[in-house]
Amino acid sequence: MIISLIGFMGSGKSSVGRRLADLLSFPFIDLDAEIEIRAGMSITAIFSAYGEPAFRKMEYETLSSVLAVGQDMVIATGGGTPVNPESAGMLRERTVCVYLSASENQLSEILSVLDNSNRPMLKKHTVGELMRARVPIYENTAHISVNLSDYTDGVPDDSAFDRIAGDIVAYLGEEKRVPGN
Ligand code: S3P
């Protein structure tokens, strides 16, 4: 089974993904880290040298080659991965796709305490602007949604991430048929 995590920047995709991978004994792949390794450049450097459309293409190509491995794994995507319809299609068809959703207020609070120096999209757009365009895409791409506000009102801590990962594993175990399986 391949589990992918989608959601806005700061929603906890990597934190939950690592825990999920541990619980399931699956390898964990962070798509942004894979892109940086392949490009030999940081996300910020890729955006400033080549721009967003080129980044989305690299993101699609990296996702495609990670999925081609075809074995059990957990993938944390970037916040804009499903914005490319081809990437969204692959996530929906070839993975069990989990959307970590949160309100604009909660995400703004979370992002205010994170280091966003490697998040070039936030230099050009507001959280609200990006969310209006993206939330429908996240909802249409995912098979399962988890709302952060069910776990904490503010910035999630380790225990919130542990509980989210535990609930996803329990849900997947209870489902007789999970998509992509
Ligand atoms: C992006 C989110 C980032 C990274 C890149 C673009 C976006 O990932 O892929 O900066 O468009 O939302 P995180 O969601 O892990 O910050």
Side-chain angles (χ1 to χ4, degrees), residues 2-23:
I2 303 177
I3 301 170
S4 63
L5 291 153
I6 63 169
F8 205 79
M9 290 170 269
S11 59
K13 301 178 293 292
S14 300
S15 302
V16 171
R18 271 180 223 290
R19 286 166 170 79
L20 262 181
D22 275 356
L23 290 172

Side-chain angles (χ1 to χ4, degrees), residues 4-17 19 32 75-80 82 98-104 106-114 116 119 122 127 131 134-135 138 146-149 151-152 154-157 160-162 164-165 168:
S4 63
L5 291 153
I6 63 169
F8 205 79
M9 290 170 269
S11 59
K13 301 178 293 292
S14 300
S15 302
V16 171
R19 286 166 170 79
D32 281 341
I75 307 172
T77 64
V98 182
Y99 169 31
L100 297 183
S101 78
S103 68
E104 182 179 340
Q106 191 173 8
L107 286 168
S108 301
E109 188 184 340
I110 296 169
L111 288 166
S112 74
V113 301
L114 295 178
N116 299 311
R119 289 188 163 127
L122 292 178
V127 171
M131 279 188 80
R134 291 176 174 190
V135 168
Y138 295 141
V146 175
N147 198 314
L148 280 194
S149 68
Y151 296 84
T152 174
V155 178
D157 57 10
F161 290 133
D162 287 344
I164 294 171
I168 295 171

Side-chain angles (χ1 to χ4, degrees), residues 6-119:
I6 63 169
F8 205 79
M9 290 170 269
S11 59
K13 301 178 293 292
S14 300
S15 302
V16 171
R18 271 180 223 290
R19 286 166 170 79
L20 262 181
D22 275 356
L23 290 172
L24 296 165
S25 300
F26 285 4
F28 172 69
I29 306 286
D30 184 299
L31 192 60
D32 281 341
E34 280 301 311
I35 295 167
E36 290 186 324
I37 291 166
R38 282 163 197 241
M41 294 164 87
S42 69
I43 301 283
T44 301
I46 298 170
F47 268 78
S48 50
Y50 307 116
E52 188 188 351
F55 175 77
R56 297 290 166 223
K57 189 163 175 281
M58 291 165 84
E59 196 174 34
Y60 167 78
E61 284 162 0
T62 307
L63 178 63
S64 182
S65 63
V66 165
L67 291 179
V69 175
Q71 64 189 25
D72 290 341
M73 65 181 117
V74 177
I75 307 172
T77 64
T81 307
V83 166
N84 177 340
E86 287 183 301
S87 296
M90 280 199 304
L91 290 170
R92 188 154 177 91
E93 279 154 32
R94 307 201 7 217
T95 77
V96 178
C97 184
V98 182
Y99 169 31
L100 297 183
S101 78
S103 68
E104 182 179 340
N105 277 349
Q106 191 173 8
L107 286 168
S108 301
E109 188 184 340
I110 296 169
L111 288 166
S112 74
V113 301
L114 295 178
D115 170 11
N116 299 311
S117 54
N118 207 21
R119 289 188 163 127

